[in-house]
Amino acid sequence: MNAELIVLLVVVVTALGFDFTNGFHDTGNAMATSIATGALRPKVAVALSAILNLVGAFLSVEVAATVAKGVVNLSSTGGEDLLVIVFAGLVGGILWNLMTWLFGIPSSSSHALFGGLIGAALAGIGVNGVEWGGVLSKVVLPAILAPVVAGLVAACGTWLIYRITHSVDDGTKERGFRLGQICSASLVSLAHGTNDAQKTMGVIFLALVAHGTITENTPMPFWVKLSCALAIALGTYLGGWRVIRTLGKGLVEIAAPQGMAAEASSAAIILTSSHLGLPLSTTHVATGSIMGTGIGRSGAEVRWGVAGRMGVAWLITLPSAAIAGALCWGIASLIGGLAGVLVVFAILLALSALMYLRSRRQPVDHSNVNADWDGRLEPAGDATYAELAALDAELVDEIPSPPAPRPDNVSA
């Protein structure tokens, strides 16, 4: 087994690792509102989403073609040099995904991947190494338009739902729309598989072309489809509870009619983009839809502070992932050859482990993902009981003492 083949295997493993992080990072796009409204129990929701992501991954390869041929200029380099660029871009995308997951920020996995690839290509090839036309038309413009369009559609849908059902009592309305949410959330999960799983397929395809295993015109190999589908399904099943909590509880206190409107809006837009081959950010679509439901319902609260922090994260995702990708390429290139790739891979594993261990200090999981939002990502745990105990003690101190008994020899 020669060094170039080992590099290819490391790239494929890293790509599947990115696909896995994409799955758990984006589970909330489909299931956050259904979990928040109680339409689905948390574990049932992520299991259903995983199955439908798996199915959706086989329905289309249009987005995969865009990723494989629309970001990196294949004519400007090849062989092991291109493999290292792809590898460095993947590492940059994974690190940004994990960092935003740690802080519960629903940022775009798609933009993390594209940013990493763009940064690595710029560092390794130069300005001519990036297909700027494809990046502008199929990445940047959809990123600007998607949340706006999704928000408007969801706002109109929410307003119509409440307008049409204004005479229905709230209990009946909630029960009915919770059933509807099961269908609409399932459709979003299916749509997510048709769009996001394709991105990793495109990256692996790009690596195979660089290695010379296939050509640019070769159909997508079945094993690539299957492995990517399984990786994103597994990540989805594990559930990115921290991001689910932010989307379900942090943006809007959402009711079942709003949840169904958000999911229907997201599904329609994502499926359309998959058909057109646009690698849309499903996170931007889902977040825009959820915010739209808060605008469309009279009296609903939209937490604009949380939305503002997410907006900042969206703006810096591409450049941040690009810097990470460029740095990874620089380290690999400085050391050189297989050793450089293995060193960067070791750095990836170490940083990933550190972020995971940090998340376990204050875990968010299926048991507390629906806890009331108090401005913090991690619901209060043992500290809450300590605070209650202190409050109890304070209240006891404030209770007046009973009067002292009178001596028996004192007459009434």
Side-chain angles (χ1 to χ4, degrees):
M1 185 179 292
N2 59 35
E4 190 170 323
L5 180 58
I6 296 175
V7 172
L8 174 64
L9 292 176
V10 172
V11 171
V12 171
V13 169
T14 307
L16 294 176
F18 173 83
D19 206 23
F20 175 83
T21 66
N22 192 347
F24 76 71
H25 199 287
D26 288 4
T27 310
N29 297 344
M31 291 299 173
T33 54
S34 294
I35 292 172
T37 63
L40 288 167
R41 293 195 303 273
K43 295 294 285 184
V44 173
V46 295
L48 177 61
S49 184
I51 293 169
L52 291 169
N53 265 281
L54 179 66
V55 174
F58 289 96
L59 298 183
S60 169
V61 293
E62 295 300 323
V63 173
T66 298
V67 174
K69 303 172 185 177
V71 177
V72 177
N73 185 353
L74 296 178
S75 63
S76 58
T77 188
E80 188 172 333
D81 291 339
L82 181 55
L83 282 175
V84 174
I85 288 171
V86 173
F87 169 70
L90 285 167
V91 173
I94 291 173
L95 291 176
W96 183 255
N97 266 357
L98 290 176
M99 189 172 70
T100 50
W101 161 77
L102 178 63
F103 292 104
I105 301 173
S107 70
S108 171
S109 296
S110 307
H111 289 185
L113 174 61
F114 295 140
L117 289 173
I118 290 169
L122 284 172
I125 306 170
V127 176
N128 293 330
V130 180
E131 295 282 3
W132 295 109
V135 170
L136 179 63
S137 63
K138 297 191 175 183
V139 178
V140 176
L141 288 180
I144 296 171
L145 295 176
V148 176
V149 173
L152 290 173
V153 173
C156 292
T158 302
W159 182 84
L160 284 173
I161 285 172
Y162 279 99
R163 180 78 174 176
I164 293 169
T165 62
H166 71 278
S167 60
V168 181
D169 68 272
D170 290 341
T172 302
K173 189 185 300 183
E174 280 289 313
R175 286 191 297 272
F177 279 104
R178 282 179 183 175
L179 291 174
Q181 274 193 277
I182 297 174
C183 298
S184 57
S186 298
L187 191 57
V188 177
S189 294
L190 188 72
H192 185 267
T194 66
N195 200 284
D196 278 45
Q198 313 299 318
K199 295 161 189 171
T200 307
M201 293 182 199
V203 171
I204 295 177
F205 186 93
L206 187 60
L208 294 173
V209 171
H211 183 258
T213 305
I214 59 176
T215 68
E216 293 182 41
N217 299 317
T218 302
M220 184 68 66
F222 176 77
W223 70 265
V224 175
K225 294 182 185 179
L226 179 62
S227 59
C228 290
L230 290 172
I232 200 169
L234 179 60
T236 302
Y237 177 71
L238 291 180
W241 301 110
R242 304 172 82 82
V243 178
I244 290 174
R245 175 164 168 76
T246 301
L247 282 173
K249 304 297 291 185
L251 273 177
V252 179
E253 285 296 335
I254 202 163
Q258 295 169 268
M260 185 173 170
E263 291 156 0
S265 169
S266 297
I269 292 171
I270 295 169
L271 286 171
T272 301
S273 69
S274 297
H275 176 71
L276 297 175
L278 297 176
L280 199 65
S281 168
T282 55
T283 300
H284 290 185
V285 173
T287 305
S289 295
I290 292 171
M291 290 182 62
T293 65
I295 297 171
R297 181 187 178 186
S298 177
E301 177 190 3
V302 179
R303 298 187 179 97
W304 294 107
V306 177
R309 290 195 294 273
M310 289 168 48
V312 171
W314 290 359
L315 288 174
I316 66 174
T317 291
L318 268 172
S320 298
I323 292 171
L327 287 174
C328 290
W329 180 89
I331 294 171
S333 179
L334 181 65
I335 299 172
L338 176 60
V341 170
L342 293 178
V343 167
V344 173
F345 190 70
I347 293 172
L348 170 63
L349 294 178
L351 292 176
S352 300
L354 284 174
M355 284 186 271
Y356 173 76
L357 293 174
R358 172 62 182 82
S359 75
R360 302 315 299 164
R361 294 182 186 176
Q362 292 178 294
V364 179
D365 55 31
H366 65 93
S367 65
N368 61 4
V369 69
N370 261 351
D372 290 339
W373 184 266
D374 58 359
R376 296 179 297 177
L377 169 63
E378 296 93 350
D382 295 338
T384 299
Y385 299 105
E387 290 167 4
L388 288 174
L391 179 61
D392 287 343
E394 182 180 339
L395 291 174
V396 168
D397 290 341
E398 292 179 359
I399 297 175
S401 301
R406 290 174 299 179
D408 291 339
N409 63 346
V410 177
S411 62

